[in-house]
Amino acid sequence: MKKSLLTICLAALAVQISFPTASTAKEAAPQPKIEATVHLDQVGDPIHPFVHGMFTELLSNMFENGIWAEMLSDRKFFYAVDNSETLTPTNSKRHQLRWRPIGPESSVTMDKEEPYVGKQSPLVSLAAGKNGIRQAGLWIENGRSYEGRVVLRSESGAKVSVSLVWGNGASDRQTVVFDDVTKNYAKYYFTFTAGADVQDAALEIVGEGNGSFEIGAVSMMPADNVEGYRADMIAILKEIGSPIFRWPGGNFLSGYEWRDGIGDMDQRPPRYDYAWNTVESNDMGTDEYMTWCKLIDCEPYLVVNTGFGDAYSAGQWVEYVNGSVDTPMGLLRAKNGHPAPYGVKYWGVGNEAYGEWQLGHMAAKHYVLKHNYFAEEMLLKDPSIKLIGSGASVPEQSSQYRNYHKPFQTQLPVEFLGYFDWTGQLLLNCLETTDYMSDHIYPNSSAYFDEASQSWIPYKFDFLQAIRLSTNRVKNSVETMKKYEELIPGLKEKPVPYWIDEWVPGRGAGFANTIGAAVALHEMYRSSRYVMMGGLTSFASLYASNDVKATISATGLLFKLFIERQGDLPLGLSGNVPQPALPGTQFVDIPMEPSGSPTYPLDIMATKDSKTGKVIVSVANPTEEAQSFALNFDGGKPAKNVTVYALAPSKMADANTVDNPDVIRVQTRTEKYSANITVPANSVILYEYTIQ
């Protein structure tokens, strides 16, 4: 459609005009007193517990060097043992320690003819005396016990010593000696007790005698690990109680081979992850994930690889997880030590398949065929499972054009049910094989989209605006599904709720991230008819940690509080101060009406507990000053006492750390009912009422 000269001129002018920030708007006109009314007779669809779910991916800050207790890097020798400065290929994971030769560099070569696992194993020559390998940079604690194993072989019967070293003195180490190492690979076990608090301890493996010895794999963990996981992090996640965790990703998924992650952990090959340019050890695989879900008492949510993966393999994975021992894959699972089927109900069919950044990306018209191929194979193995499609609603697909699809191949927003409407195409062509629809929320935090000029305009959002970016996208997705319902008659008979299984809070550090999470959860509660599941990116934000300690974060406390105290029924809430609109374009980066409650700058949500009848009013104050409001109830009267749960740090930048774990805590108190409420600056407060 041709644009008039006036439209083009106005668009050019808009590029030069700055939208008023929340702070300047407040200066221009004084804020009226905030009033909010809870309508007890306006009850929405039940809030599904899964909205408090989590996203996981096999990246270092989540599993390796995270919740998985393994202390050693590259324990199966993807990289050569040498003195090189850089890793080739590159490894983007943080805190990657290196194996270095002890003795001449030439004494360690990589056996690629008969490796124990993967493509190579270090072969240590003893011709020049005592030689071996070491890895430094390990964090250990005085008096703490560590356990491990090393896989060795030696044609010449070499004597091999394994030492934990925490200083330069002769007594600053413990050593376990293995005499007469056999010519066939075998596992040798060791335990140590650290003699100091050190952040640069080393594990050394040294041989002596004649000939050589070969190292297949090495592992060391704190002895108090819980089935391979860090005990402190397991305790934190269990305390928080998030009901569902998505695994194994993420961009990583499009190159993941699930069969690499089962069986003997030491013989699972390390693989290069081309999505993130890193190495995956495959230590934490399917059975370990299921153990993890049992340890923290959560629902498993598995996602199959529709990138470089194939439908047959997806069906085999379903059978491995859910099949009886009478099936080939169920029998394999039993041989791996898990005879009982896991009974996983929820399965995602791919991840962000719409994205050019995904391995195996293709056009939607081809992907809908692929989705159905996968669904057919998966349902053949277990007809009872529920499938989540790899969707991208119109606003999600449109918003990705800020980084991809250049030059633009279409006008934005993309056309509903058109070539680029990924979710629309899935709903049109895969409705029978889709129970829920995935949608991801990563809003642009540095620009808004101008429809007239078809360009992203750089823009600095202040914090009150930034926390609305994700909530606007939640509401945008809901508006999109309502549009789909108008266009696709089958959705009236078979609704397909969203699984927003990746989302981020409005940008901000410290407690700002926690407030952003609170308002986003509020919006999901309001959207309970359309949003069934949420997956916070990522669960690592629930705690603060280093290599030896962990503590619950403010965001972890928020999720724990909401899981335990929020009601399961959303209630209507009206107010007198609407949230201001953000700049942008409908169905790209803003909804038709601003998200949030009409109580600016506060965000207020009311819920009811269907079991106890209690009403919970949740208030998020994202400002640096206390805010007062009048709270009324339509249809009932609160009892005289109110229970209050408060997350209210002294300043927005506050955060819990391993050194200062109690900076932010939930404060609980009982106070007299009053219709006039003042909430402290930068806070999230829950008020629990008994209605008479």
Side-chain angles (χ1 to χ4, degrees):
M1 182 174 64
K2 295 182 178 179
K3 296 182 174 65
S4 68
L5 179 61
L6 177 60
T7 300
I8 296 173
C9 291
L10 288 174
L13 182 61
V15 175
Q16 305 174 46
I17 296 175
S18 296
F19 281 81
T21 64
S23 58
T24 58
K26 185 168 63 176
E27 292 168 4
Q31 289 285 85
K33 180 179 179 181
I34 303 169
E35 296 182 1
T37 300
V38 177
H39 301 279
L40 298 172
D41 60 342
Q42 296 179 11
V43 182
D45 290 352
I47 299 166
H48 201 287
F50 285 178
V51 297
H52 305 114
M54 296 291 150
F55 164 71
T56 79
E57 186 160 9
L58 286 168
L59 291 175
S60 61
N61 64 325
M62 300 186 202
F63 294 98
E64 289 185 31
N65 303 126
I67 193 171
W68 188 244
E70 180 61 59
M71 298 170 62
L72 301 173
S73 298
D74 194 23
R75 73 178 196 85
K76 287 176 278 191
F77 306 105
F78 179 87
Y79 293 103
V81 179
D82 56 29
N83 292 318
S84 62
E85 293 297 322
T86 59
L87 291 171
T88 304
T90 186
N91 194 325
S92 64
K93 286 183 178 177
R94 64 173 174 84
H95 196 44
Q96 285 299 296
L97 307 178
R98 299 285 300 276
W99 289 106
R100 300 297 192 184
I102 297 176
E105 185 175 39
S106 60
S107 67
V108 182
T109 58
M110 303 307 292
D111 177 7
K112 299 183 179 181
E113 298 297 322
E114 295 181 349
Y116 177 75
V117 61
K119 296 182 179 180
Q120 58 187 12
S121 298
L123 176 66
V124 182
S125 171
L126 301 177
K130 292 184 178 181
N131 297 319
I133 66 174
R134 79 191 302 263
Q135 184 172 123
L138 305 174
W139 288 38
I140 60 174
E141 294 181 294
N142 188 22
R144 192 172 188 183
S145 295
Y146 301 89
E147 60 185 19
R149 63 189 179 276
V150 58
V151 181
L152 300 169
R153 73 174 177 182
S154 174
E155 293 284 350
S156 58
K159 181 170 71 174
V160 177
S161 300
V162 180
S163 302
L164 179 64
V165 183
W166 55 82
N168 297 322
S171 62
D172 295 335
R173 64 171 57 214
Q174 281 191 354
T175 301
V176 176
V177 179
F178 304 110
D179 293 308
D180 296 323
V181 173
T182 62
K183 65 179 181 179
N184 295 318
Y185 273 120
K187 296 187 181 185
Y188 299 83
Y189 295 87
F190 55 83
T191 59
F192 299 119
T193 300
D197 292 324
V198 176
Q199 296 180 13
D200 193 27
L203 187 75
E204 296 183 349
I205 305 170
V206 177
E208 56 182 296
N210 298 315
S212 62
F213 73 98
E214 197 158 350
I215 309 168
V218 198
S219 175
M220 188 170 76
M221 293 183 177
D224 65 351
N225 75 84
V226 183
E227 300 194 54
Y229 293 97
R230 281 181 52 167
D232 52 358
M233 293 188 181
I234 287 292
I236 289 170
L237 294 177
K238 188 172 183 178
E239 176 188 356
I240 292 169
S242 185
I244 188 169
F245 282 70
R246 177 180 182 237
W247 185 86
N251 290 358
F252 164 87
L253 177 68
S254 58
Y256 181 60
E257 169 52 69
W258 69 268
R259 282 164 287 221
D260 286 342
I262 60 173
D264 183 347
M265 199 175 295
D266 291 332
Q267 293 208 287
R268 299 177 191 176
R271 299 294 193 197
Y272 196 70
D273 171 12
Y274 289 95
W276 291 113
N277 297 319
T278 185
V279 177
E280 172 52 44
S281 70
N282 285 306
D283 282 354
M284 198 281 195
T286 302
D287 295 308
E288 289 73 29
Y289 167 71
M290 296 306 305
T291 296
W292 181 43
C293 291
K294 182 178 179 181
L295 289 172
I296 64 175
D297 192 24
C298 78
E299 185 86 20
Y301 167 25
L302 288 167
V303 189
V304 301
N305 173 4
T306 63
F308 281 0
D310 62 274
Y312 174 78
S313 294
Q316 293 292 96
W317 197 14
V318 172
E319 185 175 276
Y320 181 87
V321 173
N322 288 356
S324 72
V325 293
D326 297 327
T327 64
M329 290 296 100
L331 179 60
L332 178 59
R333 183 194 64 245
K335 289 180 178 180
N336 288 334
H338 306 277
Y342 291 119
V344 174
K345 180 178 180 180
Y346 300 104
W347 291 79
V349 185
N351 172 75
E352 293 182 0
Y354 57 91
E356 293 180 8
W357 57 91
Q358 289 291 320
L359 304 177
H361 165 72
M362 62 179 64
K365 65 179 182 180
H366 294 148
Y367 185 78
V368 295
L369 303 176
K370 193 174 193 179
H371 171 97
N372 285 331
Y373 290 153
F374 272 70
E376 181 179 0
E377 289 289 338
M378 295 168 73
L379 291 168
L380 181 65
K381 299 300 182 180
D382 186 349
S384 71
I385 62 175
K386 300 295 183 181
L387 300 181
I388 297 92
S390 176
S393 61
V394 165
E396 172 64 10
Q397 184 72 307
S398 295
S399 68
Q400 293 303 331
Y401 275 77
R402 69 181 184 269
N403 295 321
Y404 304 96
H405 310 297
K406 294 179 179 179
F408 287 176
Q409 300 176 43
T410 185
Q411 296 285 100
L412 299 185
V414 300
E415 179 187 1
F416 274 86
L417 306 188
Y419 184 88
F420 294 102
D421 179 4
W422 197 269
T423 291
Q425 288 297 321
L426 281 169
L427 292 174
L428 274 175
N429 297 284
C430 311
L431 185 57
E432 291 185 3
T433 57
T434 302
D435 298 291
Y436 313 109
M437 186 61 67
S438 171
D439 205 31
H440 293 172
I441 293 178
Y442 295 105
N444 193 335
S445 59
S446 61
Y448 68 88
F449 190 76
D450 176 68
E451 185 174 14
S453 63
Q454 286 291 296
S455 61
W456 288 93
I457 310 300
Y459 185 73
K460 186 176 181 179
F461 295 95
D462 67 24
F463 179 62
L464 295 186
Q465 296 172 318
I467 65 168
R468 291 289 159 207
L469 296 175
S470 291
T471 62
N472 273 351
R473 274 287 288 105
V474 172
K475 189 167 185 177
N476 224 337
S477 295
V478 170
E479 292 174 349
T480 303
M481 187 59 76
K482 291 178 180 178
K483 185 73 172 177
Y484 290 141
E485 289 175 341
E486 296 175 5
L487 298 172
I488 304 173
L491 281 174
K492 293 182 175 63
E493 299 176 3
K494 183 188 178 181
V496 179
Y498 279 121
W499 280 41
I500 304 178
D501 49 20
E502 291 187 35
W503 66 273
V504 292
R507 299 292 192 252
F511 195 70
N513 185 74
T514 304
I515 292 182
V519 298
L521 287 171
H522 284 180
E523 197 64 31
M524 292 185 197
Y525 297 165
R526 296 185 188 102
S527 308
S528 58
R529 176 185 168 193
Y530 292 94
V531 178
M532 176 180 172
M533 185 265 182
L536 177 69
T537 305
S538 69
F539 80 91
S541 65
L542 301 178
Y543 52 81
S545 67
N546 58 26
D547 283 18
V548 295
K549 294 179 181 178
T551 190
I552 191 168
S553 69
T555 300
L557 290 170
L558 175 86
F559 271 83
K560 181 177 186 292
L561 179 63
F562 276 26
I563 290 166
E564 292 178 349
R565 297 297 175 185
Q566 290 282 14
D568 58 327
L569 298 173
L571 299 176
L573 187 139
S574 59
N576 65 325
V577 191
Q579 300 287 338
L582 297 186
T585 298
Q586 291 179 4
F587 293 114
V588 177
D589 51 351
I590 60 171
M592 289 182 283
E593 294 181 359
S595 61
S597 64
T599 55
Y600 180 82
L602 303 177
D603 193 271
I604 304 177
M605 180 70 208
T607 62
K608 179 181 178 180
D609 188 317
S610 61
K611 294 181 180 178
T612 66
K614 293 184 182 296
V615 171
I616 297 88
V617 177
S618 178
V619 185
N621 179 9
T623 74
E624 295 282 2
E625 56 190 29
Q627 299 286 338
S628 297
F629 68 101
L631 181 64
N632 303 302
F633 289 85
D634 177 22
K637 180 181 179 182
K640 63 179 181 179
N641 290 327
V642 181
T643 304
V644 181
Y645 304 91
L647 278 168
S650 59
K651 55 184 182 298
M652 194 73 80
D654 282 351
N656 290 343
T657 66
V658 291
D659 295 323
N660 294 287
D662 295 317
V663 173
I664 302 172
R665 288 294 170 197
V666 176
Q667 304 296 324
T668 304
R669 64 181 184 272
T670 300
E671 60 185 39
K672 297 295 184 182
Y673 165 73
S674 173
N676 296 305
I677 298 174
T678 298
V679 290
N682 37 261
S683 64
V684 179
I685 316 290
L686 267 60
Y687 298 88
E688 187 178 81
Y689 297 91
T690 299
I691 304 299
Q692 296 176 334

